[in-house]
């Protein structure tokens, strides 16, 4: 991710959208039909914000009216989606997995759970942000940072960097999304281990840091909605979360929530989308992926839904430059190799023991 780092500080890179449209991703439908000769139902497993996902599906149906009502949406945590697709491998029920980290997508690919996306989709995404065989593509980049209830704690009063989460007098001041089920939280916790790993060539310093964070954590929320509601009810003022969802809540149902960018840098995740191998609605999956990854759809998501796309656009979203995002340097290969072990250790030996 070194190649993208300087672009995040300055905003999105610019490139002619026409070049991407020439790949066949022009936002319109190709009218692909199922084997029966017409549109057939397809199912999307998503970890994305439900309102966002439903809005994209509505626009997909408007662009492809013959496919209206064909998409079924099931909202799951990213890890839950991976485990469901893995459990259904012998009899796939889903067609698209929308929302998962690079590490999770890579596991799905290595387990034979994913099929190649349409070539136009693969070609539109830089090589750094996709599987070499096109078994998954990065849809967007997610910055991981702090979420604060500004009615309880101003942004200036909130911690300004990671280590302040454990050195400030913050006992009982954090509510954290259930880590094991969440791709966002798994990545944040692994990033906290990885950033300290080289100190002793060991995960121990990271485990110690997470133990101190656990001591300051009041509770672990069952799902994102539970997290937002607990914070809005002022059960605690702080959490860790991704930038896009914080911004969606700020300008949605929870205006008291806001984002604080850590001074030393934020982990920047590749959040992906993939086609499920052997899914019953492959034609719809292909058509939806082409629509989702088109410059038109991605431009709208960037401007209206606070998304940092992996494909290049003709102009940057107006809100991005103001954030002054700095990327935390991490070894994502090491994180991918150790994520399951690190999170399992946290769950068994750290969680709830502070």
């Amino acid at each position: 991710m070194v190649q993208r780092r300087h672009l995040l500080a300055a905003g999105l890179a610019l490139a002619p959208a026409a070049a991407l449209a020439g790949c066949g991703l022009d936002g319109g439908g190709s009218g692909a039909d199922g084997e029966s000769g017409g549109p057939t139902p397809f199912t999307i497993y998503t970890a994305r914000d439900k309102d966002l996902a439903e809005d994209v599906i509505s626009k997909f149906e408007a662009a492809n009216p013959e496919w209206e009502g064909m998409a079924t949406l099931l909202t799951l945590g990213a890890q839950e989606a991976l485990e469901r697709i893995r459990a259904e491998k012998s009899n796939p029920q889903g067609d698209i997995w929308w929302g998962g980290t690079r590490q999770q997508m890579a596991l799905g690919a290595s387990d034979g759970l994913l099929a190649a996306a349409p070539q136009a989709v693969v070609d539109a995404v830089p090589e750094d942000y996709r599987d070499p065989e096109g078994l998954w593509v990065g849809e967007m980049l997610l910055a991981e940072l702090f979420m604060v209830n500004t009615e309880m704690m101003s942004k200036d009063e909130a911690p300004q960097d990671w280590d302040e989460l454990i050195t400030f007098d913050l006992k009982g001041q954090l509510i954290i999304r259930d880590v094991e089920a969440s791709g966002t939280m798994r990545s944040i916790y692994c990033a906290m281990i990885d950033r300290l790993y080289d100190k002793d060539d060991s995960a121990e310093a990271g485990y110690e840091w997470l133990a101190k964070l656990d001591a300051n954590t009041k509770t672990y929320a069952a799902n994102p909605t539970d997290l937002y509601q607990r914070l809005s009810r002022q059960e605690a003022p702080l959490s860790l979360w991704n930038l896009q969802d914080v911004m969606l809540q700020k300008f949605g149902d929870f205006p008291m929530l806001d984002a604080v960018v850590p001074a030393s840098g934020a982990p920047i995740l590749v959040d992906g989308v993939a086609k499920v191998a052997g899914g019953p609605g492959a034609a719809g999956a292909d058509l939806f992926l082409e629509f989702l990854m088109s410059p038109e759809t991605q431009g709208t998501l960037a401007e209206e839904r606070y998304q940092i796309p992996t494909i290049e656009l003709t102009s940057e979203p107006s809100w991005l430059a103001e954030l002054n995002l700095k990327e935390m340097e991490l070894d994502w290969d090491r994180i991918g190799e150790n994520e399951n072990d690190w999170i399992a250790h946290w769950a068994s030996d750290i969680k709830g023991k502070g």
Side-chain angles (χ1 to χ4, degrees):
M1 298 192 58
V2 175
Q3 182 180 2
R4 186 72 172 196
R5 185 170 293 114
H6 69 284
L7 298 178
L8 284 168
L12 288 174
L14 307 182
L20 293 176
C23 295
L25 301 177
D26 59 359
S30 62
D33 292 339
E35 294 180 358
S36 63
T40 55
F42 63 98
T43 299
I44 302 170
Y45 295 159
T46 187
R48 303 299 304 279
D49 176 83
K50 184 178 179 181
D51 290 340
L52 180 154
E54 290 178 342
D55 183 54
V56 172
I57 291 172
S58 294
K59 290 174 179 174
F60 165 79
E61 292 176 339
N64 303 276
E66 69 275 22
W67 287 82
E68 184 174 357
M70 292 292 103
T72 296
L73 186 71
L74 181 59
T75 302
L76 301 165
Q79 186 66 22
E80 292 170 318
L82 171 59
E83 291 169 358
R84 182 175 183 127
I85 295 168
R86 184 178 283 144
E88 294 173 350
K89 183 177 182 179
S90 62
N91 184 26
Q93 301 298 304
D95 299 289
I96 291 175
W97 174 14
W98 182 14
T101 65
R102 176 199 297 266
Q103 307 93 275
Q104 290 166 326
M105 292 280 171
L107 283 173
S110 65
D111 288 350
L113 305 177
L114 309 179
Q119 194 60 47
V121 171
V122 176
D123 291 343
V125 178
E127 291 183 5
D128 287 349
Y129 304 132
R130 58 174 165 86
D131 176 78
E133 307 300 324
L135 298 178
W136 61 268
V137 298
E139 187 211 354
M140 65 174 179
L141 304 179
L142 272 179
E144 311 299 332
L145 33 67
F146 309 156
M147 179 164 58
V148 59
N149 181 333
T150 56
E151 294 178 350
M152 299 181 69
M153 178 184 288
S154 72
K155 292 177 67 173
D156 289 337
E157 294 171 330
Q160 300 298 304
D161 214 347
W162 296 99
D163 287 340
E164 294 182 12
L165 294 171
I166 63 171
T167 57
F168 273 41
D169 184 17
L170 290 178
K171 187 172 181 63
Q173 297 299 295
L174 288 106
I175 297 175
I176 302 293
R177 159 75 161 106
D178 177 39
V179 175
E180 293 173 274
S182 167
T184 289
M185 291 312 309
R186 291 170 73 95
S187 293
I188 292 175
Y189 274 42
C190 286
M192 294 301 100
I193 295 172
D194 187 80
R195 75 187 181 103
L196 300 173
Y197 194 95
D198 292 334
K199 179 179 179 181
D200 298 308
D201 195 29
S202 166
E204 289 304 319
Y207 290 156
E208 292 174 8
W209 193 94
L210 290 177
K212 294 176 182 178
L213 184 69
D214 179 74
N216 286 345
T217 300
K218 182 174 184 178
T219 191
Y220 293 92
N223 53 59
T225 300
D226 185 36
L227 175 64
Y228 308 142
Q229 289 176 342
R230 286 177 180 273
L231 289 173
S232 70
R233 292 197 300 261
Q234 300 193 2
E235 294 182 24
L238 284 170
S239 189
L240 312 178
W241 204 232
N242 70 75
L243 172 63
Q244 183 186 35
D245 283 345
V246 176
M247 298 291 281
L248 288 172
Q249 305 317 311
K250 175 182 178 180
F251 294 104
D253 295 334
F254 301 97
M256 74 291 295
L257 302 181
D258 207 346
V260 175
V261 179
S264 64
I268 306 292
L269 312 184
V270 178
D271 193 80
V273 63
K275 181 179 175 181
V276 178
D286 285 344
L287 189 62
F288 182 82
L289 288 173
E290 291 176 352
F291 177 84
L292 174 65
M293 296 304 296
S294 68
E296 292 80 4
T297 300
Q298 288 297 309
T300 298
L301 289 172
E303 191 62 50
E304 299 179 2
R305 298 287 185 161
Y306 314 104
Q307 185 160 304
I308 306 173
T310 56
I311 70 170
E312 295 182 344
L313 303 177
T314 54
S315 61
E316 67 180 9
S318 57
W319 55 271
L320 181 59
E322 303 172 3
L323 290 174
N324 193 28
L325 278 176
K326 176 183 177 182
E327 182 174 358
M328 177 185 290
E329 294 192 26
L330 296 165
D331 187 337
W332 288 106
D333 289 335
R334 179 165 61 197
I335 289 175
E337 292 169 2
N338 292 282
E339 177 179 313
N340 286 339
D341 290 341
W342 288 351
I343 296 301
H345 177 86
W346 173 83
S348 63
D349 295 337
I350 298 175
K351 180 183 179 182
K353 294 180 169 56

